[in-house]
Amino acid sequence: MSLIGTLEQLNLTNILQRIEMYEKNGMLVLQQGETWAELYIRGGRLVCIGPVRTTMTLGDQLQQEGIISPQALQDTYQTLRGAQPGEMRMALALMERGYVGHEDFRGWATKKALETLKVLLTWTNGEIYFEEDIVPEPDRLLVALSISALLSSLPVSTPVPQQSALNGFYANKEQEQPKSSPAIPATPAPFALSVSPQDISKIPTLTSSAQFLLDS
């Protein structure tokens, strides 16, 4: 895994914007001491956050959030014949039975991503790594989210560093040029939280960002 730099040197917002601009594929890792988060990128979009350490299944999480009813969850489990399905299989089963739609999952994934990014953007120290072409674990639910839309929904918390500090990210790819893409309107943030780096484990959300900030 390649070290890009540190949060003392680089601005995370700029790194994410460049990843989107260059339509990168891979895994961005932020590590602060023994705590880290993994952001999986496909075509410059955020598709998945890890690692997940919650013991709740996707169905249980959706029920707790009120997106599906207990009866819908029980009915879906019966359809799956008692198996413990992964996220993708559960999502497909719920959609096939008409209990949720694509927009329900997009809204849920957007909320998780915003919560996690809000915490990560409070970090003032730590390392930033990026590994090309790394994909999430099989059967994770993947929802492609616009990084620029997510960032525009969050308050600006840190100043932008000098451009020269970012040049090393693509130092070995000087020939690479950003690919044009249609503008994506920003989605208003569905909630507002005030979180300090020390409060990561106390965020009162469906699947708090703490589950993606794993201690070794």
Side-chain angles (χ1 to χ4, degrees):
M1 187 173 299
S2 302
L3 175 67
I4 298 174
T6 68
L7 289 168
E8 293 92 335
Q9 300 170 321
L10 304 176
N11 180 276
L12 177 57
T13 297
N14 281 19
I15 292 292
L16 291 169
Q17 289 171 338
R18 290 171 71 87
I19 284 174
E20 180 177 54
M21 180 185 300
Y22 287 87
E23 298 186 6
K24 304 297 288 184
N25 296 294
M27 178 178 67
L28 182 72
V29 175
L30 286 90
Q31 183 167 358
Q32 187 181 71
E34 295 185 350
T35 302
W36 76 91
E38 301 167 354
L39 306 181
Y40 292 90
I41 310 296
R42 179 180 295 174
R45 289 175 172 256
L46 178 64
V47 296
C48 186
I49 301 174
V52 178
R53 64 178 178 183
T54 180
T55 58
M56 297 178 66
T57 66
L58 175 63
D60 293 332
Q61 296 172 39
L62 295 174
Q63 179 190 324
Q64 181 176 315
E65 180 73 359
I67 296 175
I68 61 174
S69 67
Q71 181 57 45
L73 179 60
Q74 184 63 31
D75 182 44
T76 304
Y77 274 133
Q78 290 178 352
T79 300
L80 297 171
R81 299 182 180 180
Q84 289 294 328
E87 292 180 356
M88 184 60 71
R89 186 180 179 192
M90 172 59 77
L92 290 174
L94 288 168
M95 287 192 292
E96 287 173 357
R97 302 192 68 78
Y99 292 129
V100 293
H102 289 283
E103 290 308 310
D104 296 311
F105 283 119
R106 175 168 293 278
W108 180 72
T110 298
K111 181 177 179 180
K112 290 197 301 179
L114 285 170
E115 291 166 354
T116 302
L117 287 176
K118 187 175 180 69
V119 172
L120 293 175
L121 288 170
T122 67
W123 287 11
T124 57
N125 61 81
E127 294 79 44
I128 308 173
Y129 302 86
F130 190 81
E131 185 71 16
E132 298 273 0
D133 301 322
I134 298 295
V135 298
E137 295 180 1
D139 211 27
R140 286 296 309 277
L141 177 63
L142 305 182
V143 180
L145 301 174
S146 164
I147 291 175
S148 58
L150 290 171
L151 292 175
S152 67
S153 299
L154 295 171
V156 177
S157 58
T158 54
V160 176
Q162 295 295 323
Q163 182 66 30
S164 58
L166 292 168
N167 292 339
F169 187 26
Y170 292 106
N172 60 342
K173 297 194 175 187
E174 295 178 356
Q175 75 282 5
E176 186 170 5
Q177 297 295 324
K179 302 175 183 179
S180 60
S181 58
I184 301 174
T187 303
F191 62 95
L193 293 174
S194 178
V195 182
S196 68
Q198 292 76 22
D199 293 333
I200 289 173
S201 63
K202 301 178 182 179
I203 300 176
T205 59
L206 163 64
T207 53
S208 77
S209 53
Q211 71 166 306
F212 302 113
L213 303 169
L214 191 64
D215 295 333
S216 63

Short mmCIF file of all heavy atoms in Angstrom, two decimals, residues 127-164:
data_model
loop_
_atom_site.label_atom_id
_atom_site.label_comp_id
_atom_site.label_asym_id
_atom_site.label_seq_id
_atom_site.Cartn_x
_atom_site.Cartn_y
_atom_site.Cartn_z
N GLU A 127 -1.93 9.12 8.89
CA GLU A 127 -1.36 8.81 7.58
C GLU A 127 -2.47 8.56 6.57
O GLU A 127 -3.56 8.11 6.91
CB GLU A 127 -0.47 7.57 7.65
CG GLU A 127 0.79 7.75 8.49
CD GLU A 127 0.52 7.65 9.97
OE1 GLU A 127 -0.22 6.73 10.36
OE2 GLU A 127 1.03 8.50 10.73
N ILE A 128 -2.16 8.85 5.30
CA ILE A 128 -3.08 8.63 4.19
C ILE A 128 -2.42 7.67 3.21
O ILE A 128 -1.30 7.94 2.74
CB ILE A 128 -3.44 9.93 3.47
CG1 ILE A 128 -3.92 10.99 4.47
CG2 ILE A 128 -4.52 9.69 2.41
CD1 ILE A 128 -4.13 12.36 3.84
N TYR A 129 -3.08 6.58 2.90
CA TYR A 129 -2.57 5.59 1.96
C TYR A 129 -3.57 5.41 0.82
O TYR A 129 -4.77 5.64 0.98
CB TYR A 129 -2.38 4.23 2.64
CG TYR A 129 -1.44 4.24 3.83
CD1 TYR A 129 -1.91 4.55 5.10
CD2 TYR A 129 -0.08 3.92 3.68
CE1 TYR A 129 -1.06 4.55 6.20
CE2 TYR A 129 0.77 3.92 4.78
CZ TYR A 129 0.27 4.24 6.03
OH TYR A 129 1.11 4.24 7.12
N PHE A 130 -3.06 4.98 -0.33
CA PHE A 130 -3.95 4.63 -1.44
C PHE A 130 -3.37 3.44 -2.18
O PHE A 130 -2.17 3.42 -2.49
CB PHE A 130 -4.13 5.80 -2.42
CG PHE A 130 -5.21 5.55 -3.44
CD1 PHE A 130 -6.54 5.75 -3.10
CD2 PHE A 130 -4.91 5.07 -4.70
CE1 PHE A 130 -7.55 5.51 -4.03
CE2 PHE A 130 -5.90 4.82 -5.62
CZ PHE A 130 -7.23 5.05 -5.29
N GLU A 131 -4.23 2.46 -2.44
CA GLU A 131 -3.82 1.27 -3.19
C GLU A 131 -4.73 1.13 -4.40
O GLU A 131 -5.96 1.07 -4.27
CB GLU A 131 -3.92 0.03 -2.31
CG GLU A 131 -3.41 -1.25 -2.96
CD GLU A 131 -1.90 -1.27 -3.12
OE1 GLU A 131 -1.22 -0.45 -2.47
OE2 GLU A 131 -1.40 -2.11 -3.88
N GLU A 132 -4.12 1.10 -5.57
CA GLU A 132 -4.88 0.98 -6.82
C GLU A 132 -5.59 -0.36 -6.93
O GLU A 132 -5.06 -1.40 -6.53
CB GLU A 132 -3.93 1.14 -8.02
CG GLU A 132 -3.23 2.49 -8.09
CD GLU A 132 -4.04 3.54 -8.82
OE1 GLU A 132 -5.15 3.22 -9.27
OE2 GLU A 132 -3.54 4.66 -8.93
N ASP A 133 -6.80 -0.32 -7.50
CA ASP A 133 -7.54 -1.51 -7.94
C ASP A 133 -7.89 -2.49 -6.81
O ASP A 133 -8.15 -3.66 -7.08
CB ASP A 133 -6.77 -2.25 -9.03
CG ASP A 133 -6.51 -1.38 -10.25
OD1 ASP A 133 -7.42 -0.60 -10.59
OD2 ASP A 133 -5.42 -1.46 -10.84
N ILE A 134 -7.93 -2.03 -5.57
CA ILE A 134 -8.42 -2.86 -4.47
C ILE A 134 -9.94 -2.77 -4.45
O ILE A 134 -10.51 -1.68 -4.58
CB ILE A 134 -7.84 -2.41 -3.12
CG1 ILE A 134 -6.32 -2.55 -3.12
CG2 ILE A 134 -8.45 -3.19 -1.97
CD1 ILE A 134 -5.83 -3.97 -3.22
N VAL A 135 -10.61 -3.89 -4.27
CA VAL A 135 -12.08 -3.91 -4.27
C VAL A 135 -12.59 -4.35 -2.90
O VAL A 135 -11.86 -4.99 -2.13
CB VAL A 135 -12.62 -4.87 -5.35
CG1 VAL A 135 -12.19 -4.39 -6.73
CG2 VAL A 135 -12.15 -6.30 -5.11
N PRO A 136 -13.83 -4.01 -2.56
CA PRO A 136 -14.39 -4.43 -1.27
C PRO A 136 -14.53 -5.94 -1.18
O PRO A 136 -14.45 -6.66 -2.18
CB PRO A 136 -15.76 -3.73 -1.22
CG PRO A 136 -15.68 -2.66 -2.26
CD PRO A 136 -14.76 -3.17 -3.32
N GLU A 137 -14.79 -6.41 0.03
CA GLU A 137 -15.04 -7.83 0.23
C GLU A 137 -16.29 -8.25 -0.55
O GLU A 137 -17.20 -7.45 -0.76
CB GLU A 137 -15.24 -8.13 1.72
CG GLU A 137 -14.00 -7.89 2.56
CD GLU A 137 -14.25 -8.21 4.02
OE1 GLU A 137 -15.38 -8.62 4.35
OE2 GLU A 137 -13.33 -8.04 4.83
N PRO A 138 -16.34 -9.52 -0.99
CA PRO A 138 -17.50 -9.99 -1.74
C PRO A 138 -18.80 -9.81 -0.96
O PRO A 138 -18.84 -9.93 0.26
CB PRO A 138 -17.19 -11.48 -1.97
CG PRO A 138 -15.71 -11.58 -1.82
CD PRO A 138 -15.31 -10.55 -0.81
N ASP A 139 -19.86 -9.48 -1.66
CA ASP A 139 -21.21 -9.37 -1.14
C ASP A 139 -21.42 -8.14 -0.27
O ASP A 139 -22.41 -8.06 0.45
CB ASP A 139 -21.62 -10.63 -0.36
CG ASP A 139 -23.12 -10.88 -0.47
OD1 ASP A 139 -23.71 -10.46 -1.49
OD2 ASP A 139 -23.70 -11.47 0.45
N ARG A 140 -20.50 -7.18 -0.29
CA ARG A 140 -20.79 -5.89 0.33
C ARG A 140 -21.77 -5.13 -0.56
O ARG A 140 -21.71 -5.22 -1.79
CB ARG A 140 -19.52 -5.05 0.50
CG ARG A 140 -18.58 -5.49 1.60
CD ARG A 140 -19.16 -5.38 2.98
NE ARG A 140 -19.74 -4.08 3.28
CZ ARG A 140 -19.07 -3.01 3.69
NH1 ARG A 140 -17.76 -3.09 3.85
NH2 ARG A 140 -19.70 -1.88 3.96
N LEU A 141 -22.66 -4.38 0.04
CA LEU A 141 -23.59 -3.55 -0.72
C LEU A 141 -22.83 -2.34 -1.25
O LEU A 141 -22.26 -1.57 -0.48
CB LEU A 141 -24.74 -3.09 0.18
CG LEU A 141 -25.76 -2.15 -0.46
CD1 LEU A 141 -26.48 -2.85 -1.62
CD2 LEU A 141 -26.76 -1.66 0.57
N LEU A 142 -22.80 -2.17 -2.57
CA LEU A 142 -22.06 -1.09 -3.20
C LEU A 142 -23.04 -0.06 -3.76
O LEU A 142 -23.92 -0.39 -4.56
CB LEU A 142 -21.18 -1.62 -4.33
CG LEU A 142 -20.20 -2.75 -3.95
CD1 LEU A 142 -19.36 -3.14 -5.15
CD2 LEU A 142 -19.32 -2.35 -2.78
N VAL A 143 -22.90 1.18 -3.33
CA VAL A 143 -23.72 2.28 -3.82
C VAL A 143 -22.77 3.40 -4.22
O VAL A 143 -22.05 3.94 -3.39
CB VAL A 143 -24.70 2.78 -2.74
CG1 VAL A 143 -25.54 3.93 -3.29
CG2 VAL A 143 -25.61 1.65 -2.27
N ALA A 144 -22.74 3.73 -5.51
CA ALA A 144 -21.81 4.75 -6.01
C ALA A 144 -22.31 6.14 -5.63
O ALA A 144 -23.40 6.55 -6.00
CB ALA A 144 -21.68 4.63 -7.53
N LEU A 145 -21.48 6.87 -4.87
CA LEU A 145 -21.85 8.20 -4.39
C LEU A 145 -20.85 9.23 -4.91
O LEU A 145 -19.64 8.99 -4.92
CB LEU A 145 -21.86 8.23 -2.87
CG LEU A 145 -22.81 7.25 -2.17
CD1 LEU A 145 -22.60 7.29 -0.66
CD2 LEU A 145 -24.26 7.56 -2.52
N SER A 146 -21.35 10.37 -5.31
CA SER A 146 -20.50 11.46 -5.77
C SER A 146 -19.74 12.05 -4.60
O SER A 146 -20.33 12.51 -3.62
CB SER A 146 -21.36 12.55 -6.43
OG SER A 146 -20.64 13.76 -6.56
N ILE A 147 -18.41 12.05 -4.70
CA ILE A 147 -17.59 12.62 -3.63
C ILE A 147 -17.82 14.12 -3.50
O ILE A 147 -17.94 14.66 -2.41
CB ILE A 147 -16.11 12.31 -3.89
CG1 ILE A 147 -15.85 10.80 -3.70
CG2 ILE A 147 -15.21 13.11 -2.95
CD1 ILE A 147 -14.44 10.37 -4.04
N SER A 148 -17.92 14.82 -4.63
CA SER A 148 -18.12 16.26 -4.58
C SER A 148 -19.46 16.61 -3.95
O SER A 148 -19.57 17.59 -3.21
CB SER A 148 -18.02 16.86 -5.99
OG SER A 148 -18.97 16.27 -6.86
N ALA A 149 -20.49 15.82 -4.23
CA ALA A 149 -21.79 16.07 -3.62
C ALA A 149 -21.75 15.84 -2.12
O ALA A 149 -22.34 16.60 -1.34
CB ALA A 149 -22.86 15.19 -4.26
N LEU A 150 -21.04 14.79 -1.69
CA LEU A 150 -20.90 14.53 -0.27
C LEU A 150 -20.16 15.67 0.43
O LEU A 150 -20.59 16.16 1.47
CB LEU A 150 -20.17 13.21 -0.04
CG LEU A 150 -20.92 11.93 -0.42
CD1 LEU A 150 -19.97 10.74 -0.35
CD2 LEU A 150 -22.12 11.70 0.49
N LEU A 151 -19.05 16.10 -0.16
CA LEU A 151 -18.25 17.14 0.46
C LEU A 151 -19.00 18.46 0.53
O LEU A 151 -18.86 19.22 1.49
CB LEU A 151 -16.94 17.32 -0.31
CG LEU A 151 -15.94 16.16 -0.23
CD1 LEU A 151 -14.75 16.42 -1.14
CD2 LEU A 151 -15.48 15.93 1.21
N SER A 152 -19.81 18.73 -0.49
CA SER A 152 -20.55 19.99 -0.49
C SER A 152 -21.63 20.01 0.58
O SER A 152 -22.15 21.07 0.92
CB SER A 152 -21.17 20.24 -1.87
OG SER A 152 -22.17 19.28 -2.14
N SER A 153 -21.98 18.84 1.10
CA SER A 153 -22.99 18.75 2.15
C SER A 153 -22.40 18.90 3.54
O SER A 153 -23.13 18.90 4.52
CB SER A 153 -23.73 17.41 2.06
OG SER A 153 -24.40 17.29 0.83
N LEU A 154 -21.08 18.99 3.61
CA LEU A 154 -20.40 19.10 4.90
C LEU A 154 -19.76 20.47 5.04
O LEU A 154 -19.33 21.06 4.06
CB LEU A 154 -19.32 18.02 5.02
CG LEU A 154 -19.81 16.58 5.03
CD1 LEU A 154 -18.63 15.62 4.92
CD2 LEU A 154 -20.60 16.29 6.29
N PRO A 155 -19.67 20.97 6.27
CA PRO A 155 -19.03 22.28 6.47
C PRO A 155 -17.54 22.20 6.23
O PRO A 155 -16.90 21.19 6.47
CB PRO A 155 -19.33 22.59 7.94
CG PRO A 155 -19.51 21.24 8.58
CD PRO A 155 -20.15 20.39 7.52
N VAL A 156 -16.97 23.28 5.71
CA VAL A 156 -15.53 23.37 5.51
C VAL A 156 -14.88 23.56 6.87
O VAL A 156 -15.22 24.48 7.61
CB VAL A 156 -15.16 24.54 4.59
CG1 VAL A 156 -13.66 24.65 4.45
CG2 VAL A 156 -15.82 24.37 3.23
N SER A 157 -13.94 22.65 7.21
CA SER A 157 -13.36 22.67 8.55
C SER A 157 -11.88 22.99 8.57
O SER A 157 -11.33 23.37 9.59
CB SER A 157 -13.57 21.31 9.23
OG SER A 157 -13.00 20.29 8.47
N THR A 158 -11.19 22.80 7.42
CA THR A 158 -9.75 23.02 7.42
C THR A 158 -9.34 23.83 6.20
O THR A 158 -9.97 23.73 5.15
CB THR A 158 -8.99 21.68 7.40
OG1 THR A 158 -9.46 20.90 6.29
CG2 THR A 158 -9.22 20.92 8.68
N PRO A 159 -8.28 24.63 6.27
CA PRO A 159 -7.82 25.39 5.11
C PRO A 159 -7.20 24.50 4.06
O PRO A 159 -6.74 23.40 4.35
CB PRO A 159 -6.77 26.33 5.72
CG PRO A 159 -6.29 25.60 6.93
CD PRO A 159 -7.48 24.87 7.46
N VAL A 160 -7.21 24.97 2.83
CA VAL A 160 -6.63 24.21 1.72
C VAL A 160 -5.11 24.41 1.72
O VAL A 160 -4.63 25.53 1.78
CB VAL A 160 -7.22 24.70 0.39
CG1 VAL A 160 -6.55 23.98 -0.77
CG2 VAL A 160 -8.72 24.48 0.36
N PRO A 161 -4.33 23.31 1.65
CA PRO A 161 -2.87 23.45 1.65
C PRO A 161 -2.35 23.93 0.30
O PRO A 161 -3.09 24.01 -0.67
CB PRO A 161 -2.40 22.02 1.93
CG PRO A 161 -3.47 21.18 1.32
CD PRO A 161 -4.75 21.92 1.57
N GLN A 162 -1.08 24.25 0.25
CA GLN A 162 -0.48 24.66 -1.01
C GLN A 162 -0.57 23.52 -2.02
O GLN A 162 -0.44 22.36 -1.68
CB GLN A 162 0.99 25.04 -0.79
CG GLN A 162 1.16 26.27 0.09
CD GLN A 162 0.58 27.51 -0.55
OE1 GLN A 162 0.69 27.67 -1.76
NE2 GLN A 162 -0.03 28.38 0.24
N GLN A 163 -0.78 23.87 -3.28
CA GLN A 163 -0.91 22.86 -4.32
C GLN A 163 0.32 21.97 -4.39
O GLN A 163 0.22 20.79 -4.68
CB GLN A 163 -1.14 23.55 -5.67
CG GLN A 163 -1.35 22.58 -6.84
CD GLN A 163 -2.62 21.78 -6.69
OE1 GLN A 163 -3.58 22.27 -6.11
NE2 GLN A 163 -2.64 20.57 -7.21
N SER A 164 1.50 22.54 -4.12
CA SER A 164 2.73 21.76 -4.23
C SER A 164 2.74 20.58 -3.27
O SER A 164 3.38 19.56 -3.52
CB SER A 164 3.94 22.65 -3.93
OG SER A 164 3.83 23.22 -2.63
#
